[in-house]
Structure formats: C-alpha cells, structure tokens
Amino acid sequence: DVKVTQSSRYLVKRTGEKVFLECVQDMDHENMFWYRQDPGLGLRLIYFSYDVKMKEKGDIPEGYSVSREKKERFSLILESASTNQTSMYLCASSLGGSAADTQYFGPGTRLTVL
Amino acid sequence: DQQVKQNSPSLSVQEGRISILNCDYTNSMFDYFLWYKKYPAEGPTFLISISSIKDKNEDGRFTVFLNKSAKHLSLHIVPSQPGDSAVYFCAAFRGGFGNEKLTFGTGTRLTIIP
C-alpha cells in the first residue's frame, strides 16, 4: 500500500511566522504535489515536483515555496504566514510519467494562522 | 477562472437509489478525467477515470459518462450505499509538456440516507 504521511494533522501559527509542512512517501514515486483545500474552491495546486531538486509552480504559488532534497520528501514552506493561508493542506504523490497517474494523498494538515 | 465546475455543492440520496454527480469543464483541451472521493479527516482517494476517446467507463457500482460536445461528465453510483457518503471531486488533465497537472473541481458532498 502506498503511504503518504504529513508531519502534522493540526498546526496553529502566528502571523509572520515561518511554517514548514513536511510530506513523505514510501513508494519511490517520482511526482509529488502540494494542494490546499478551501470550502467552495476545491483543491488548488500550489507547487509540484517531478524529480529531486525540481519544482514547478501550480495555480497559486504566491506566498509559498517548496523544497525537494530527497525523492521521498517534499516540503512546503510558508515564508511569512498570513491569515489567508489558513487552510487544509494536502500532499500527494504519483508514480511518474504523467500527472494523470493516480495521485495518492496524505491525510492533510489543517493549518490555522492567527 | 474555474475551469472545472461542480455546480451542486451537496446532494442527498436514499440508500439503494442512484446517485448522479455532475461536473462541467470549460477547457476543450482536457483529455483525461478522474473522480476522487474524500472522507472527513482523510486525503482524497482515486475512484475512477475516463479518457476523452471514450464516452463511458464502468467499475462495479461506479460509472463515469463523458459528453465531450457538452463538456460535461457525470458519475453514477448504483446502488448507493451509506459508505458512499463523502465529498466527490472531479479532476481534469491536459497532456503535453509543461501542462502536467490536474485541475480539480470544487467538490460535491454526497449524503446517503439510510
């Protein structure tokens, strides 16, 4: 079974703090993705990566950065957290070759920025 | 600009009856479509997909229909079961270098009434 784990289920941070969200997959997948889920907006892609040290902007990259130093780990960084970044953050991975490959999601991190 | 739309935020269906979830898209370049299902406190899981060269794909109780001329797809669940209560996201994909990502809809919350 593919396992995608996220470092925290719930996180509360203050405005201006630097926030790290970690994601690890154990199936040697090439592709990794970060989404945020908001009511009425569905899942929106923040960043994705097709290879180690490689990253591509998604639809809403502003205010975020990512790091992929190892194949199994993909980190999302909020450089200076703001209240409009309060959301559910979902990490996903897929085998490779195509983004249409089945994506396997982690359980999500609910981030609240006060 | 919401390229993939699910106009019904919620749907309630009696157990044993048919559930029909709808999805519309605006980008005619999308060539592959997927449905994901999400339970509370869990990440989405892949359910079923369809290529644009087909108009129907079936997997057990789940059938997806694609009407390319109307830019519309639907997911049919027959018969509906209580365990089908979840949020359903449709997603669309356009192949080609530099476009390798899924675009998700806003989701429909399905409630099966026992």
Side-chain angles (χ1 to χ4, degrees), chain A residues 60-74:
Chain A
I60 51 164
E62 296 80 18
Y64 303 95
S65 61
V66 290
S67 172
R68 195 167 179 200
E69 296 296 319
K70 293 185 178 181
K71 191 175 186 180
E72 67 271 17
R73 189 179 297 269
F74 192 36

Side-chain angles (χ1 to χ4, degrees), chain A residues 21-74:
Chain A
L21 301 182
E22 301 284 338
C23 176
V24 177
Q25 49 94 4
D26 67 356
M27 282 302 290
D28 203 34
H29 282 177
E30 300 289 333
N31 305 331
M32 296 190 76
F33 308 85
W34 273 107
Y35 295 89
R36 61 179 281 177
Q37 181 193 357
D38 300 288
L41 296 176
L43 273 69
R44 294 180 293 166
L45 182 65
I46 305 171
Y47 267 97
F48 57 106
S49 169
Y50 288 135
D51 201 354
V52 176
K53 296 191 188 295
M54 182 271 183
K55 61 185 179 186
E56 292 282 345
K57 291 181 180 178
D59 298 317
I60 51 164
E62 296 80 18
Y64 303 95
S65 61
V66 290
S67 172
R68 195 167 179 200
E69 296 296 319
K70 293 185 178 181
K71 191 175 186 180
E72 67 271 17
R73 189 179 297 269
F74 192 36

Side-chain angles (χ1 to χ4, degrees), chain B residues 61-86:
Chain B
R61 296 186 298 113
F62 302 90
T63 303
V64 57
F65 295 92
L66 176 62
N67 182 335
K68 288 191 292 291
S69 60
K71 297 192 184 68
H72 176 84
L73 64 154
S74 61
L75 174 68
H76 292 211
I77 307 173
V78 183
S80 300
Q81 299 174 354
D84 296 329
S85 294

Side-chain angles (χ1 to χ4, degrees), chain A residues 9 33 35 37 40-43 45 48 50 58-59 90 97-103 105-107, chain B residues 2 32 34 36 38 41-46 87 89 93 98-107:
Chain A
R9 294 300 299 269
F33 308 85
Y35 295 89
Q37 181 193 357
L41 296 176
L43 273 69
L45 182 65
F48 57 106
Y50 288 135
D59 298 317
L90 292 159
S98 169
D101 289 344
T102 299
Q103 294 190 20
F105 285 82
Chain B
Q2 194 73 36
Y32 195 76
L34 307 91
Y36 280 79
K38 185 181 185 299
E42 295 183 16
T45 55
F46 169 75
V87 177
F89 293 98
F93 171 76
N99 296 311
E100 300 280 327
K101 64 184 179 77
L102 289 182
T103 300
F104 281 86
T106 51

